[in-house]
Every structure is written in C-alpha cells, then in structure tokens.
Amino acid sequence: MSDEIPSGPESAPEIAVDTPTHSGFVALIGATNAGKSTLVNRLVGAKVTIVSHKVQTTRAIVRGIAIHERAQIVFMDTPGIFKPRRRLDRAMVTTAWGGAKDADLVVLLVDSERGLRGDTEAILEGLKEVRQPKILVLNKIDRVRPEDLLKLASAANETVAFDRTFMLSAATGSGCEDFLDYLAKTLPEGPWYYPEDQISDLPMRQLAAEITREKLFLRLHQELPYASHVETEKWEERKDGSVRIEQVIYVERESQKKIALGKQGEAIKAISTAARKEISEILEQPVHLFLFVKVRENWGDDPARFREMGLEFPKG
C-alpha cells in the first residue's frame, strides 16, 4: 500500500474527451464548530478531515475533492476563524484567510443555531475585503424554524453581497445536492487538477495522524488541553499485507502525559483501538498501531511542529 490517500467512490462519472469540464477551489470559512469538516466529508462522500466537538480541531487547510457531473470541486476545509490568543491561534486564522483569498469561490458556513453573533459577525466584516465571489451557507437547518432562517439570511446579506444563499444540513445531507449543482456549473471551465479517483491531497500518514488526534479529542476533550499534537514517525509495509504504524502524541507537560495515558494505560489503549480500527478500514488492510506519548514543552512555539501541521510559523 503506498503512502497515498485511498481511492474515492467508484461511481465517479467517465468524462468524454470532447466534453467540457469544470474545476476549481472552494474555500469553506466560518467560526469554530460551524460544521465545515462535517460538510466537506459529506460532499466528498468519504472521510478526508477530522471532526470533533472540540473547537479549533482543524488546524491547517485540508483539501477534499468531489466529482459532481462534469466538475471537479476541490473543497478547502480551513481552520475556524476566531480571536487568536496564542502563536498557534494566529497561524490558524492567517491560514484560513489565506485559503479564502486563494480560492475561486468563498463559502461562509454559518451555524444557524448560533446565528451571526461573536466570531461570525467579525468574519462578515472581514469578507468585505475578499474579492472572490462569495456564497452564504446556513448549516444545521433541521434545528431552526424556517422564519428564523430567512431572517438570518437577510441579515447576513445586508452586510455582505453574497452571490447565492443556500440552506442545508451537513449532518443529514439535506440541501447538499443543490449546493453541488450550483458549484459544478459556476466553477471555471478547464481540466481537472487531480486524478478522478483521488479524494484528498493529504498523504495517508498525515491522515492517519489526524485520525488519532480526533480519537484523542473525543476521548479526552474534557481533560486534555488543546495543546496536543500527533505525528506519524514510522510507516512500514509488511510482507503479510499489514502495515505497522508508529505515532507520537506530543503534550506540553508531564501532567498532560498522565492524562493521555490514563489509569493503567486505559485511555491510550482506547484511543489506539479506535484509531487503528478506522485507519484499517480506510486502508483496507490490517494495521498494527503503536502510540507513544512524549512531553515537549512549548511545542506550540516550535517552528518544526508548525511545518509538520502545514502552517506558517508566525513571527513575533
């Protein structure tokens, strides 16, 4: 098995040589926990970015690739935009806005339950400086009354001149087909950027690390601070068709290491089991996963860790 992302759905349409194709990059921006990662996974039809209830789960831009009709749509799942407090926060917010300015289309995803308060209000102001066509998407519509959705859409469009407004549910898929139809027709005509069976530009060893980080968050989000990071250090294809993976979970203090390990190693075993199962399903081959927890003080100020995450190290 090569260190590449697995193939996507086999139902991707065959494109005739003389048929015009469309392709382009669509940046999804929004406040933390607006549902960007859930929506990207839904639209791509496979898991390409991790999801958890912990804020700022997505740290760098993850590209998920969807084929719809004759278009290849490259979704850029950006970190949630919020008021930064630390160096890592600043790097994530800068990355998110950079992704918006590099895309063909910019999509603002709004949690309909939370509305336009707080970070979303600030994002709307920032969008005024973005020149690309902008689309408003109201998510979680199954939890909000229709009349409230209309008020929310009206208020957002009064602040920013959105080209279109869509209302959908990333969790159930409601409204997603109409959204894909619009993107497929709106993106520029041109050749596809990626092979038609590729669903992400994320190397498999990096996706494996992200899956373990997701399981870490899901298991310990109440106890383990935000400052943790996972790296895949070894990836060995074995003769029996299995793969041996060694990963390191970096934390900042010895007390955090004890939390990650858990009493008699209970937490790390549960995290390893959940991650191994999901990685094995994606690879479609047996996986032997070994996790190690290491203390690296102030890793959030280490330029090497930022490069590993695909972030630019902020100066100052």
Side-chain angles (χ1 to χ4, degrees), residues 126-264:
L127 274 174
K128 293 178 181 179
E129 308 300 320
V130 175
R131 291 178 295 176
Q132 285 87 337
K134 293 172 279 289
I135 302 164
L136 174 66
V137 172
L138 302 183
N139 189 24
K140 305 180 184 179
I141 59 170
D142 48 320
R143 304 181 186 180
V144 181
R145 296 183 304 174
E147 55 267 33
D148 292 333
L149 288 171
L150 292 174
K151 291 177 183 177
L152 190 59
S154 176
N157 277 276
E158 285 177 9
T159 304
V160 174
F162 290 102
D163 289 34
R164 285 286 298 270
T165 297
F166 290 90
M167 301 181 186
L168 54 77
S169 170
T172 67
S174 174
C176 288
E177 194 72 13
D178 290 341
F179 182 48
L180 285 171
D181 287 344
Y182 174 80
L183 295 177
K185 296 170 184 174
T186 305
L187 287 174
E189 185 175 313
W192 291 357
Y193 290 96
Y194 299 94
E196 67 178 272
D197 61 349
Q198 188 171 340
I199 60 171
S200 175
D201 68 344
L202 198 65
M204 191 58 229
R205 61 189 298 141
Q206 191 174 340
L207 178 59
E210 287 289 274
I211 288 171
T212 299
R213 187 163 67 93
E214 177 188 62
K215 305 312 176 190
L216 182 75
F217 281 176
L218 291 174
R219 173 82 185 190
L220 301 172
H221 67 96
Q222 298 287 357
E223 307 162 70
L224 190 67
Y226 171 59
S228 59
H229 175 55
V230 180
E231 291 183 15
T232 300
E233 291 207 333
K234 291 185 180 180
W235 186 289
E236 178 190 354
E237 299 286 343
R238 306 179 69 171
K239 292 181 180 179
D240 62 2
S242 66
V243 57
R244 176 190 170 95
I245 303 171
E246 293 184 11
Q247 295 177 334
V248 177
I249 299 170
Y250 288 106
V251 294
E252 291 188 314
R253 292 187 293 276
E254 193 67 34
S255 60
Q256 296 171 2
K257 180 177 179 180
K258 292 178 181 178
I259 293 172
L261 292 173
K263 188 176 181 180
Q264 297 181 332

Side-chain angles (χ1 to χ4, degrees), residues 5 9 14 18 24 79 101 115 135 150 173 189 217 286 290 294:
I5 199 76
E14 292 186 7
D18 58 346
K101 292 172 182 176
I135 302 164
L150 292 174
E189 185 175 313
F217 281 176
F290 298 88
K294 294 183 180 180

Side-chain angles (χ1 to χ4, degrees), residues 21 75 90 96 104 108 121 141-142 156 170 221 240 245:
T21 57
F75 293 102
R90 295 202 307 273
D104 295 291
L108 172 62
E121 189 174 15
I141 59 170
D142 48 320
H221 67 96
D240 62 2
I245 303 171

